[in-house]
Amino acid sequence: MKYLLGGMTIIINILMILLLNTCEQIPPMGGYVDRSKSNRFSYGIFKNSIYYKSGSPVTDIKGIFGIPTYSRLKGANVASFEVISWGIGKDKNTVYVGNEKQPHVDAATFHINSDGVACDNKSVFCGSYLHIIDEADPQSFEVIKGDYIWQWARDKNNYYYKYYHDCFNADVDYNTFQLINYSFAWDKNYLYTGNIATKELIKTKANPGGYTPVTKYYIHDDQNIYFCRYIYDRESSLVTIPLKDPESVQPFINTEEDDKDNFIVANNTIYYFGELFIK
């Protein structure tokens, strides 16, 4: 029985590999619109219509295999249709996210700029469904590069903060605003950090003397150490640690590479994730 079950497992695995390889192709469509911009989300042509394929037979977190679905883009112009990026396409009249029309976007001028930001001639867009960033100017909009994904951007009038699919006018003092590290920024009025769970910034009154970055997540001034505690899908919190000796602040180097920025040494103490670790 043990050998029989083992043999059946091998056969099932081979069949699933064949299914994966088969379903990753565009049929029953006639072919990809742009193979280089296709993955499990792709556009194809079949019988003079544009189709959108979403999903693929990959294992999800529950270990269940899914089947790709195909949706026809009703009214899409085949001759002018082009893929802009994964899951976004347009023809001469309409921009699509998946198979859904985006009537608020101007198809003639819609593009992805050199910073990877979606724009048309009137608006800048954010997120999977191309939400308009209020007040953003597409001609002067530029991303301020971050360590991972872009978090801050600016145009000629404002600074903007982005976390995942939200992006909004940060309402900071334009002339004095500057980034400190991955987690913090400041202007003459406030120290800022992001709140992962809400569409807002956490802010506290600024120290006129300025701030010194220590790691990606820690900074200090002459009075305190600051750390923003991000917990996935929960509201973030700003941790303030009283500082006895600014000269004592330094990174803690004896840690794993992917966790090193959560450690800091100060006050003859090691802190981890904004809390006392070893004294």
Side-chain angles (χ1 to χ4, degrees):
M1 178 62 71
K2 179 175 69 174
Y3 296 109
L4 177 61
L5 291 175
M8 291 178 64
T9 300
I10 293 172
I11 292 172
I12 290 171
N13 287 337
I14 292 173
L15 290 174
M16 290 310 302
I17 291 171
L18 292 173
L19 177 63
L20 285 169
N21 290 333
T22 300
C23 291
E24 278 299 307
Q25 306 305 313
I26 209 68
M29 306 182 199
Y32 289 101
V33 174
D34 187 339
R35 184 67 178 88
S36 67
K37 297 178 181 178
S38 302
N39 56 5
R40 63 193 184 99
F41 305 104
S42 53
Y43 291 97
I45 305 171
F46 181 65
K47 292 186 177 180
N48 204 35
S49 292
I50 301 293
Y51 282 78
Y52 175 67
K53 184 191 81 168
S54 60
S56 68
V58 295
T59 306
D60 65 14
I61 57 174
K62 297 179 181 178
I64 300 173
F65 285 88
I67 300 298
T69 58
Y70 299 85
S71 306
R72 186 168 73 90
L73 277 59
K74 296 179 181 180
N77 182 272
V78 175
S80 63
F81 194 89
E82 60 179 307
V83 181
I84 305 301
S85 66
W86 293 342
I88 301 177
K90 74 171 186 174
D91 63 17
K92 63 181 180 179
N93 301 311
T94 306
V95 173
Y96 297 86
V97 172
N99 65 338
E100 297 184 15
K101 294 181 178 181
Q102 306 298 307
H104 62 292
V105 183
D106 179 64
T109 61
F110 179 75
H111 65 286
I112 306 295
N113 70 17
S114 59
D115 283 335
V117 179
C119 307
D120 64 17
N121 65 337
K122 295 182 179 179
S123 302
V124 181
F125 305 99
C126 180
S128 301
Y129 282 88
L130 302 180
H131 303 297
I132 294 175
I133 303 174
D134 291 340
E135 304 180 52
D137 173 60
Q139 280 70 48
S140 60
F141 191 91
E142 61 177 346
V143 170
I144 303 171
K145 299 297 183 182
D147 292 321
Y148 303 123
I149 56 175
W150 73 269
Q151 288 184 292
W152 289 95
R154 66 186 170 202
D155 62 17
K156 62 183 181 179
N157 299 312
N158 301 297
Y159 278 85
Y160 303 88
Y161 183 77
K162 174 180 180 289
Y163 201 93
Y164 291 116
H165 301 300
D166 285 327
C167 186
F168 54 92
N169 186 336
D171 192 26
V172 301
D173 181 74
Y174 192 89
N175 292 326
T176 61
F177 180 84
Q178 56 186 298
L179 301 184
I180 305 170
N181 63 359
Y182 178 78
S183 295
F184 291 95
W186 77 298
D187 62 21
K188 66 177 184 178
N189 300 312
Y190 295 104
L191 173 68
Y192 303 94
T193 190
N195 192 331
I196 195 171
T198 61
K199 189 178 177 179
E200 62 183 9
L201 288 167
I202 300 172
K203 60 185 182 180
T204 188
K205 189 173 178 60
N207 184 332
Y211 302 90
T212 301
V214 186
T215 73
K216 289 179 182 178
Y217 309 135
Y218 286 93
I219 64 171
H220 76 88
D221 57 19
D222 58 353
Q223 300 175 18
N224 299 295
I225 300 165
Y226 302 90
F227 176 85
C228 185
R229 184 176 293 136
Y230 296 106
I231 302 176
Y232 180 73
D233 205 27
R234 290 175 57 186
E235 188 165 346
S236 305
S237 59
L238 175 62
V239 178
T240 302
I241 303 169
L243 182 57
K244 299 175 183 177
D245 177 13
E247 298 298 323
S248 71
V249 182
Q250 58 184 305
F252 181 62
I253 60 174
N254 295 320
T255 58
E256 296 294 332
E257 181 67 25
D258 60 354
D259 206 24
K260 66 179 183 179
D261 292 301
N262 288 311
F263 283 89
I264 194 174
V265 177
N267 301 330
N268 295 317
T269 301
I270 299 173
Y271 296 92
Y272 174 69
F273 209 57
E275 296 182 344
L276 188 149
F277 185 68
I278 298 175
K279 187 170 183 178

